[in-house]
Amino acid sequence: MLYLQKLLLIRRFFSTLAFFSMQTVFFIYLQKKGLSNSEIAFSLSLLFFCNQALAIFAGIWGDRFGLAKMMLLGCFLDVLAYIFFLSADHYFLLLLATTCFGLGSCLFGTNAKACLLAIAGNEYAEKTRLQGKYLKVTSMSSMGAPLLVIPFIKYDHINALIWACFAIEAILFVMMIKPFSQIQAVQKLVKFRFSQIR
């Protein structure tokens, strides 16, 4: 399980680094593709909505179908998002990209936190330690991303940055496929009903 913990934290760090790097150059990249400011702003709002507002559904699906499946689906949607984003010459493709970005990040993040809690078992101190580590790697990567993009912006290599982010997500997705099969052992599937929400 120690390997699984490290894998989840490593994936969170690099995926968040790529995600915030992409967000930093979001407007610059899409303006160069000829999209209007209103289209870009709405698509960014859609990304944030999918990332935040769908967290409860991400948790429900994790309980119902399994943490591993939902995290792997989140990783896949992140890869798919970059494919749409790189080809986002049309508004519809941009909306698909931002929906996949938001939902993919939400599915992985919500269920990764639940997985770390499940791994910790009934040990409160261990739960706290793992959640602290999760928040730490998230903070470090989100703070480091704006610094990472500075040379790409300065030398006008925005496309190279987006391709690098895409490569990071694709490599992470391939790395996750086999290890995620171990996660089912730490979770009992639950048939969720909305009546359970109080």
Side-chain angles (χ1 to χ4, degrees):
M1 290 302 176
L2 182 60
Y3 171 71
L4 193 54
Q5 293 174 24
K6 288 182 178 179
L7 194 62
L8 288 172
L9 294 173
I10 289 170
R11 199 276 170 185
R12 178 64 177 178
F13 177 83
F14 285 105
S15 181
T16 304
L17 187 68
F19 183 73
F20 280 99
S21 296
M22 177 275 299
Q23 282 193 32
T24 303
V25 298
F26 193 84
F27 267 86
I28 301 172
Y29 179 75
L30 292 172
Q31 282 173 339
K32 288 185 176 181
K33 281 181 169 283
L35 292 161
S36 69
N37 287 340
S38 61
E39 290 173 334
I40 298 170
F42 179 81
S43 64
L44 190 59
S45 297
L46 179 63
L47 188 158
F48 292 141
F49 174 82
C50 292
N51 183 251
Q52 299 296 324
L54 300 182
I56 187 170
F57 294 103
I60 290 169
W61 297 331
D63 288 339
R64 181 67 185 89
F65 301 109
L67 300 176
K69 289 179 182 177
M70 291 302 102
M71 285 192 289
L72 198 58
L73 177 59
C75 294
F76 174 72
L77 287 175
D78 282 340
V79 174
L80 197 60
Y82 278 101
I83 293 173
F84 287 135
F85 193 60
L86 284 163
S87 55
D89 297 314
H90 302 286
Y91 187 41
F92 178 69
L93 287 175
L94 176 59
L95 294 180
L96 284 176
T98 51
T99 301
C100 288
F101 272 130
L103 186 55
S105 177
C106 183
L107 281 172
F108 179 82
T110 302
N111 289 292
K113 285 185 281 188
C115 184
L116 289 172
L117 289 173
I119 289 171
N122 296 321
E123 296 293 329
Y124 180 78
E126 184 66 6
K127 289 178 185 288
T128 305
R129 185 183 70 83
L130 288 176
Q131 291 300 299
K133 278 193 170 185
Y134 186 88
L135 290 173
K136 181 180 178 180
V137 298
T138 302
S139 297
M140 287 174 60
S141 54
S142 60
M143 288 188 297
L147 298 176
L148 176 68
V149 304
I150 289 173
F152 289 95
I153 295 174
K154 180 176 175 59
Y155 297 105
D156 197 23
H157 291 311
I158 304 299
N159 279 5
L161 174 65
I162 300 300
W163 276 103
C165 292
F166 169 63
I168 289 171
E169 289 292 356
I171 291 167
L172 289 170
F173 173 63
V174 172
M175 286 175 60
M176 296 296 113
I177 294 174
K178 185 177 178 180
F180 273 20
S181 62
Q182 304 170 23
I183 297 175
Q184 292 291 67
V186 302
Q187 178 206 18
K188 293 180 180 178
L189 298 183
V190 176
K191 189 169 184 179
F192 185 90
R193 293 179 175 85
F194 280 97
S195 61
Q196 294 172 311
I197 300 176
R198 294 287 185 268

